[in-house]
């Protein structure tokens, strides 16, 4: 199967890409930094897998259109889309009164980018009567985590979008899964120093 993984240059995305590559999937590695993606591709190929690098600025809808167009031209369809790329901000609301842009930036990457990818790739999945969309989310949605209002809200939006379209696409063989990850030791949580003392799982 052809599997697109966003945020594939590190953390959960990188680990998932390596595992799926070893299992025989054709991995489409998506992130901004080509040098880091090349390293992951080389690692997958060294383990006998197949990986292709597709750089994309997921904060730019036009760049998502470009990348998806290239992918569909080359591979016909994407069997599995893993929406893993994400941005997290830890800030209490009383420190965010003048930082509306934090909410906009987080929503752009965590919600709008994922929706844009889905809207680009879903028609081909439905034509092929097969597809799977996997959204990497957070256990914070189930815990009302303080100080993460921008992050949790953006993940909640993607969750609601996916649950809403799920019944529309199931008859075409397209499935949607949301993974509510617990705390994982990745570069995304590094700025939150209190997490240095928290129990975490590895990617």
């Amino acid at each position: 199967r052809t599997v697109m993984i966003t945020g594939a240059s590190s953390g959960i995305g990188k680990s998932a890409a390596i595992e799926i590559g070893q299992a025989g999937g054709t991995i489409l590695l998506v992130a901004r930094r080509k040098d880091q993606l090349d390293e992951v591709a080389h690692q997958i190929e060294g383990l006998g897998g197949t990986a292709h690098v597709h750089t994309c600025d997921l904060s730019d809808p036009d760049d998502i259109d470009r990348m998806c167009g290239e992918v569909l031209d080359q591979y016909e369809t994407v069997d599995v889309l893993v929406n893993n790329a994400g941005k997290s901000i830890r800030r209490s609301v009383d420190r965010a009164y003048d930082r509306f842009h934090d909410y906009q930036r987080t929503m752009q990457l965590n919600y709008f980018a994922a929706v844009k990818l889905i809207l680009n790739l879903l028609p081909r999945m439905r034509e092929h009567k097969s597809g799977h969309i996997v959204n990497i989310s957070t256990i914070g949605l189930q815990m009302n985590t303080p100080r993460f209002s921008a992050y949790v809200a953006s993940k909640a939006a993607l969750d609601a979008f996916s649950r809403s379209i799920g019944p529309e696409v199931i008859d075409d063989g397209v499935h949607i899964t949301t993974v509510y990850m617990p705390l994982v030791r990745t570069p995304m949580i590094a700025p939150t120093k209190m997490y240095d003392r928290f129990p975490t799982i590895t990617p």
Side-chain angles (χ1 to χ4, degrees):
R1 293 188 179 268
T2 301
V3 182
M4 177 185 288
I5 302 177
T6 66
S9 57
S10 65
I12 294 167
K14 177 181 177 179
S15 293
I18 292 168
E19 291 284 337
I20 297 168
Q22 283 184 287
T26 297
I27 309 300
L28 311 182
L29 302 164
V30 177
R32 286 175 300 172
R33 292 180 285 274
K34 185 178 186 302
D35 58 335
Q36 293 184 6
L37 292 179
D38 285 338
E39 288 180 17
V40 178
H42 182 71
Q43 192 171 348
I44 292 169
E45 289 160 359
L47 295 167
T50 302
H52 304 281
V53 169
H54 292 276
T55 57
C56 183
D57 180 357
L58 293 170
S59 66
D60 181 351
D62 292 335
D63 206 32
I64 295 174
D65 284 341
R66 174 201 58 79
M67 184 272 294
C68 286
E70 292 174 0
V71 163
L72 292 175
D73 284 345
Q74 291 180 48
Y75 311 103
E76 182 63 26
T77 190
V78 172
D79 298 302
V80 182
L81 166 64
V82 182
N83 283 313
N84 167 72
K87 176 183 182 63
S88 178
I89 295 177
R90 178 182 182 270
R91 182 171 286 117
S92 59
V93 72
D94 63 357
R95 295 177 57 209
Y97 296 150
D98 60 349
R99 296 187 63 89
F100 180 64
H101 60 279
D102 283 348
Y103 293 86
Q104 290 174 306
R105 288 185 301 161
T106 308
M107 207 71 169
Q108 183 61 52
L109 183 59
N110 294 357
Y111 177 62
F112 289 121
V115 170
K116 186 67 167 163
L117 284 162
I118 292 170
L119 295 178
N120 272 281
L121 302 177
L122 182 59
R124 200 68 62 88
M125 289 182 177
R126 298 182 81 175
E127 287 174 18
H128 285 249
K129 300 295 181 183
S130 177
H132 200 153
I133 297 163
V134 181
N135 298 321
I136 304 302
S137 189
T138 171
I139 199 171
L141 281 186
Q142 300 167 323
M143 298 174 62
N144 301 322
T145 311
R147 297 183 178 85
F148 285 92
S149 56
Y151 177 65
V152 171
S154 66
K155 291 295 188 179
L158 182 58
D159 198 10
F161 170 83
S162 300
R163 283 187 281 110
S164 182
I165 70 167
E168 300 179 41
V169 301
I170 190 67
D171 284 346
D172 290 325
V174 179
H175 300 262
I176 305 178
T177 299
T178 297
V179 182
Y180 301 100
M181 283 285 183
L183 196 60
V184 182
R185 182 70 60 191
T186 67
M188 189 174 77
I189 74 165
T192 305
K193 294 306 177 185
M194 63 179 284
Y195 284 160
D196 292 346
R197 302 186 300 275
F198 274 50
T200 59
I201 61 174
T202 68

